Structures are given as C-alpha cells and as structure tokens.
Amino acid sequence: MSVKIAVLGYGVVGSGVVELFYKNKASIEKRAGKEMDIKHILDLRDFPDSPYKDKLTKDFSDIINDDEVTSVAECMGGVEPAFTFVKACLEKGKSVSTSNKELVAEKGDILLQTAKDHGCNFFFEASVGGAIPIIRPLHRCLAANDINKVAGILNGTTNFILTKMYNDNMQFDDALRLAQELGYAEKDPTADVEGHDACRKICIIASLVFGKHVYPKSVYTKGISQVDLADVAAADVLGSSVKLIACVERLENGRILPTVMPMLVPHDDIMSGVNDVFNAVLVYGDGIDQAMFYGRGAGKLPTASAVLGDVIETAKQEGTVLSQTWESSGDDSFIADIESFSARWYFRIPEANKPSGVEESFCEDGFAHFITSDKLTFAKAKEMAAQLNAAAYIPVLE
C-alpha cells in the first residue's frame, strides 16, 4: 500500500520536509516498509521556480477531500488556521505530524483526543527539540520510570546570545543583532528572548510527563533581555554559566512547578557546557537517575528530520498510539505557584550594601556579586533584592 502525504506550509520547515523527503526517499520508504510520495503542498504563495510546483495548491479542500492522503505534515506555525486544518484532517482519519509548538501547547489536548476518536495519530516530536528526539523517548523508552523532573536549554537563539556574551564579551543587544544577521533570530525576536518559545516547549513536555494539559499562561516565564554582561562575567568567576532554563518538577505536595527563567548553571553541571544554538534536555527518573538528550534544536533540515521521523511513524502505525497523550485540564490547581520555587540565588548589589557572612562573593566596579549559602523562596529572594537595592538576582540550578 502506497502512502500519500500532504504538506501544509511551504516555508522554511515545510520546504525542508519536501527537500529531505526526496533526498532520502529510498531509505525513508525502506524504514516505513511502504512506498511513499508527497501528493499535495499547501501554500498561498506562488513558487513558479519550484521543482514541485505541480504539487502546490492554495485550496485546503484538495487535501481534506483526497482519500488517498493518509498522512499530513503541518509546518504552518501559529494556532490558526493550523488548528482548524489539523483538526479537520484528524476527523477524516488522516494522521498529522507537526513542528508547531504553539499549536501543541495551546490545543494539544483537543487534537490528541480527536486523533484517538478517529483511529489516527497526532505526532509532534519536532515541536520541542527540533532534531533532538525527546517526545518518543519520554513516553516509550523511559516509560518504566517515575519521572519527577525535566530541565533543559530549549531555545537555541537565547543560548547563542548568552554564549556570545560569555565567550566574546558581547553586550546583549550586539549578540542579538549577530543572531539576527546569522538567521538564528527573527526580525521580531520577542518569542525567543522573552522566553515564550521555551515556555511552549516545557508546556508540551510537562503535559506529556505528568498527564494533564499545561497551558503557557500557567508557567512563570522570564526571558534573557534583562541579563547584563556584568552578571554573565560574574557567574563565570563564581563557577557558573548563565543559561535560559525551562524546567518542570513535581513537588512533595504532588503539584508540578513549570518555569522558564535565566539561571546560573554550575560548571560541573553538564548543561553548563551546552553552547551556541545547541539544546539539551535532562530527564530525571527513578530508574535512570538522569538521561540527557543533546543536539541542534532548530533549523530547516534538523526540524524537517524530526517531522519526517513522525511521518514514517504514522506510516508504520495501525491505530492510535495511546501512550503519547494527556488529559484536558479544567483548571490549573495541579500547578504550584512560583512562590513555591526555592533555590540558592545570585545577587548583584551596590558594594556598600553587601551583607556580612557571604562566602561565594567578590566586588567589582562598585558592585558586590555573591551567591547565597542557603536556599531562598522566590518571595524571599524578591524581598531581599528590594532590601539590598539589587541590580540583578538570578536563581542557581541544582
């Protein structure tokens, strides 16, 4: 039986999916165990020079009404019209593979249930780690574990910026400009530098690991736009690197706490050495202790690779994969407030305000830089920052 595929969106990722499919068509078919071909490519734009212009359509009905199409790769981005299109495909029994993190973070519960109701699959490996396989390992390879925490560097743009600040002594604005010039950051970099992209990704991971839909609005999110070069340099002196860390952890009271924020990562932590546009995800389980997944988190072909991996999986599946799912959540009572967060903290304060008894510290340019010896709650750290007139305060990852 031949598998006919439709691709929704012919931008960076969509064109990458088509390119990589035809480049590796023979090996893809061998791994799927079936003949495969792309029948439709949906996009409102014209591509007169494309070698696949005969497959292009501007009409979604060409896809939804084509019974030969059984697998769809959604690469449009955004919630609408992607949600409407994907839901319609699933209702027709067409499995969907997507790279759209915003769609999965906002509507994943609905789409997973729709797939289940119609005997097909909604796969989204590419939505979190790009080329890094993390979704399938979480619900398959690590299924025997009680996973209590997942933490990682989930945004390559911010990691590149922080790496340039650390290695090349660049100010934030200069590092951002370079990231834009190299194509790592969008013209409007808000989603990356303010943490929204990483937030959507940790929502997906948290939903899968803990079984209930976690919405972005329930996640404490702080980006790197306020990280100063002085703090990056001070972190190095204090034996750490500054990284944007997305984390979700189950607390002793059973609630989960998802967060996205800059953190000091000690140099003896493996994530401290994850640099440039690379991402890393660290999974904590009772059977494995720790397992790390590392690689390029974004880019045309890396993301296309993950999408096509899911497309191959849809071709091999008979029925819905029930382990890759989570329940809808009527409220966020299962999510702890940020006030429950506790860590040691780094402070940058006027030198005259330096408290006594601080061990990990140094003074430079009129400021005292130090890390607290004891853990402080989020509320206590905020209160201390106000009392000491802190220019910055950042938690330490432990």
Side-chain angles (χ1 to χ4, degrees):
M1 178 182 173
S2 176
V3 175
K4 301 297 184 184
I5 305 162
V7 179
L8 307 185
Y10 198 49
V12 174
V13 177
S15 63
V17 167
V18 176
E19 177 186 336
L20 193 61
F21 176 83
Y22 283 110
K23 178 176 181 290
N24 296 331
K25 186 174 184 291
S27 60
I28 287 172
E29 289 178 321
K30 183 178 180 180
R31 287 164 184 149
K34 297 176 181 178
E35 292 183 359
M36 304 176 73
D37 199 10
I38 294 172
K39 189 172 183 181
H40 302 290
I41 303 169
L42 178 71
D43 203 292
L44 293 177
R45 296 166 294 178
D46 292 313
F47 297 89
D49 298 326
S50 171
Y52 310 108
K53 58 180 178 291
D54 60 316
K55 300 177 184 293
L56 284 158
T57 178
K58 297 180 181 181
D59 189 351
F60 177 65
S61 65
D62 289 343
I63 294 168
I64 198 66
N65 295 325
D66 188 339
D67 292 337
E68 280 194 331
V69 172
T70 58
S71 185
V72 177
E74 187 277 307
C75 310
M76 300 172 68
V79 176
E80 286 292 357
F83 174 66
T84 298
F85 289 175
V86 170
K87 191 168 184 289
C89 288
L90 295 172
E91 288 172 342
K92 281 275 194 171
K94 304 176 190 293
S95 291
V96 177
S97 308
T98 183
S99 59
N100 190 339
K101 64 191 75 71
E102 188 175 2
L103 175 67
V104 184
E106 292 287 355
K107 303 289 187 178
D109 56 336
I110 298 171
L111 296 173
L112 284 164
Q113 185 60 49
T114 304
K116 183 178 178 181
D117 291 344
H118 293 85
C120 54
N121 284 289
F122 177 58
F123 287 153
F124 42 88
E125 185 68 67
S127 68
V128 173
I132 306 171
I134 183 62
I135 298 300
R136 198 167 289 115
L138 281 173
H139 74 91
R140 286 194 168 179
C141 309
L142 304 179
N145 284 259
D146 179 22
I147 297 171
N148 54 60
K149 181 179 178 180
V150 181
I153 297 167
L154 298 180
N155 183 271
T157 300
T158 51
N159 205 43
F160 175 83
I161 291 169
L162 291 170
T163 299
K164 286 299 175 183
M165 293 174 72
Y166 179 81
N167 287 342
D168 299 342
N169 206 36
M170 278 190 178
Q171 294 289 346
F172 171 83
D173 289 341
D174 295 330
L176 171 58
R177 193 175 302 111
L178 178 61
Q180 290 171 319
E181 291 172 358
L182 294 174
Y184 298 147
E186 301 288 342
K187 183 177 181 181
D188 178 1
T190 303
D192 291 321
V193 301
E194 297 303 338
H196 305 315
D197 176 81
C199 172
R200 292 162 185 155
K201 293 174 179 177
I202 202 63
C203 283
I204 296 168
I205 289 174
S207 300
L208 183 61
V209 170
F210 297 108
K212 284 189 177 182
H213 194 102
V214 176
Y215 293 96
K217 65 182 181 181
S218 300
V219 181
Y220 175 80
T221 303
K222 183 178 181 180
I224 67 166
S225 60
Q226 301 304 311
V227 174
D228 193 275
L229 184 58
D231 301 313
V232 174
D236 186 37
V237 175
L238 294 168
S240 300
S241 301
V242 179
K243 300 290 185 182
L244 183 68
I245 300 295
C247 179
V248 61
E249 182 175 9
R250 184 175 57 230
L251 306 181
E252 291 182 1
N253 62 13
R255 292 184 175 183
I256 66 170
L257 179 59
T259 58
V260 175
M261 54 186 161
M263 300 185 78
L264 264 66
V265 181
H267 285 158
D268 59 3
D269 187 308
I270 194 168
M271 278 198 288
S272 177
V274 176
N275 292 320
D276 295 319
V277 294
F278 284 82
N279 288 4
V281 184
L282 199 59
V283 181
Y284 300 76
D286 59 350
I288 56 169
D289 187 18
Q290 298 177 15
M292 183 175 174
F293 300 82
Y294 169 85
R296 289 188 178 273
K300 179 178 180 177
L301 294 183
T303 305
S305 168
V307 172
L308 283 170
D310 278 347
V311 169
I312 293 169
E313 192 72 7
T314 66
K316 294 162 66 175
Q317 286 298 325
E318 296 292 338
T320 307
V321 176
L322 298 179
S323 60
Q324 184 172 308
T325 191
W326 57 78
E327 299 175 1
S328 296
S329 52
D331 58 52
D332 60 1
S333 59
F334 67 103
I335 299 176
D337 190 88
I338 187 60
E339 302 299 329
S340 302
F341 179 82
S342 178
R344 294 193 303 142
W345 291 77
Y346 156 81
F347 286 86
R348 173 164 57 94
I349 62 174
E351 187 174 348
N353 295 350
K354 179 183 175 183
S356 59
V358 173
E359 296 180 3
E360 295 182 71
S361 68
F362 72 100
C363 296
E364 187 175 70
D365 297 331
F367 284 94
H369 306 260
F370 69 93
I371 295 175
T372 61
S373 56
D374 297 323
K375 288 187 175 183
L376 304 174
T377 63
F378 184 90
K380 184 63 178 176
K382 187 175 180 181
E383 178 186 332
M384 186 172 171
Q387 291 173 347
L388 298 175
N389 194 26
Y393 60 109
I394 304 172
V396 179
L397 179 68
E398 293 178 304

